[in-house]
Amino acid sequence: MEELFEQLDFIENPQYEQIISDLMHQQYSIVETFFTEEEVHTLRNSLLDNYKEDSFKKAAIGNKVNENIIKSIRGDHIMWLDQNQATPAETMFFDKVNNLISYLNRTCFLGILQKEFHYAVYPTGTFYKRHLDTFQNDDRRKLSIVCYLNNENWLPENGGELVLYLNENGEETEKVIYPFPGRMVIFESQIIEHEVKPVNTRRLSITGWLKTR
């Protein structure tokens, strides 16, 4: 009976369905309106407030078991987010992400049980070379998510493009994605190699992963 009620209160979400369709057919999805302009502005201010307080640290390569800071591979600074100690802006972010997770688990049976997100700042001249978002000692990351918080006047010449390396009919192709404010990109963590091109103007985002058991 409980299962019947769960089916009755299900409401199809067109935006989520498009994300699912994209992931099924091309292993990535680009979403332009997941957050409103006001929400992006609020998240950007929250990031910058923390950045001024020197809450960020130099990002490393690998996970906590095998972590090394290698400037020749990546140059961003990060601050991990804690849902239990979130600002109102971050609470809004987690509420929306949690809603997406619930939808994905209910419709696609992905088994997403955990998530991890951090603010990311790429200072001018930094980058992140081609890599895969999984570790040899930890393959729980299922989906990678990046939400761009750059200023409204962000231009392509500012650099910092995300490049996805795709396999189409046995041939490698490149999908170049500019970090326009409010844009969210979701892709398969264990499949798609990617990189961040050199940044000409400070680049802001929230980056994270949806993880299985």
Side-chain angles (χ1 to χ4, degrees):
M1 182 65 68
E2 182 179 350
E3 182 178 344
L4 176 61
F5 281 117
E6 287 182 356
Q7 293 174 355
L8 289 174
D9 66 11
F10 176 76
I11 299 177
E12 185 173 288
N13 184 307
Q15 185 181 64
Y16 294 173
E17 289 294 329
Q18 184 61 54
I19 292 172
I20 293 169
S21 177
D22 289 344
L23 290 172
M24 288 178 59
H25 292 97
Q26 60 189 24
Q27 300 173 332
Y28 72 91
S29 182
I30 302 173
V31 190
E32 305 292 356
T33 57
F34 194 83
F35 297 102
T36 67
E37 289 186 15
E38 182 178 355
E39 289 168 343
V40 172
H41 180 76
T42 303
L43 285 167
R44 181 191 305 130
N45 285 341
S46 181
L47 181 157
L48 292 174
D49 285 344
N50 282 287
Y51 197 57
K52 290 177 181 177
E53 295 174 4
D54 201 27
S55 302
F56 284 58
K57 69 173 185 176
K58 191 73 175 61
I61 304 299
N63 58 7
K64 293 180 180 178
V65 177
N66 181 23
E67 183 178 82
N68 295 290
I69 295 176
I70 305 177
K71 294 181 180 178
S72 62
I73 296 178
R74 68 183 297 185
D76 54 323
H77 296 76
I78 66 172
M79 188 191 91
W80 290 99
L81 300 180
D82 184 346
Q83 186 173 353
N84 296 320
Q85 300 180 13
T87 66
E90 293 157 6
T91 297
M92 174 276 298
F93 173 84
F94 279 116
D95 286 346
K96 286 203 165 187
V97 169
N98 288 338
N99 193 39
L100 173 61
I101 291 172
S102 296
Y103 196 95
L104 292 175
N105 282 340
R106 188 169 185 176
T107 58
C108 303
F109 308 103
L110 290 183
I112 302 298
L113 299 177
Q114 295 178 312
K115 58 186 178 295
E116 53 184 11
F117 284 93
H118 60 65
Y119 288 132
V121 175
Y122 280 81
T124 300
T126 59
F127 50 85
Y128 195 163
K129 288 191 174 181
R130 181 170 173 169
H131 64 284
L132 199 64
D133 277 350
T134 54
F135 308 114
Q136 291 183 347
N137 62 348
D138 186 351
D139 62 356
R140 290 176 297 165
R141 289 178 175 177
K142 176 65 176 176
L143 295 175
S144 301
I145 298 179
V146 56
C147 307
Y148 297 113
L149 305 179
N150 296 309
N151 293 324
E152 293 85 350
N153 60 352
W154 183 270
L155 299 172
E157 51 262 39
N158 291 336
E161 308 97 306
L162 173 68
V163 180
L164 305 181
Y165 293 95
L166 310 173
N167 189 315
E168 297 183 355
N169 301 319
E171 294 187 3
E172 183 174 273
T173 60
E174 298 180 7
K175 176 64 179 180
V176 178
I177 304 170
Y178 291 99
F180 294 129
R183 173 172 283 178
M184 183 170 81
V185 184
I186 306 175
F187 58 92
E188 294 270 4
S189 302
Q190 300 176 14
I191 297 174
I192 297 183
E193 292 188 338
H194 54 285
E195 72 172 309
V196 176
K197 291 293 188 179
V199 176
N200 299 322
T201 301
R202 189 173 62 179
R203 178 186 189 269
L204 312 176
S205 68
I206 294 179
T207 300
W209 300 270
L210 306 185
K211 304 169 68 174
T212 55
R213 185 183 302 276

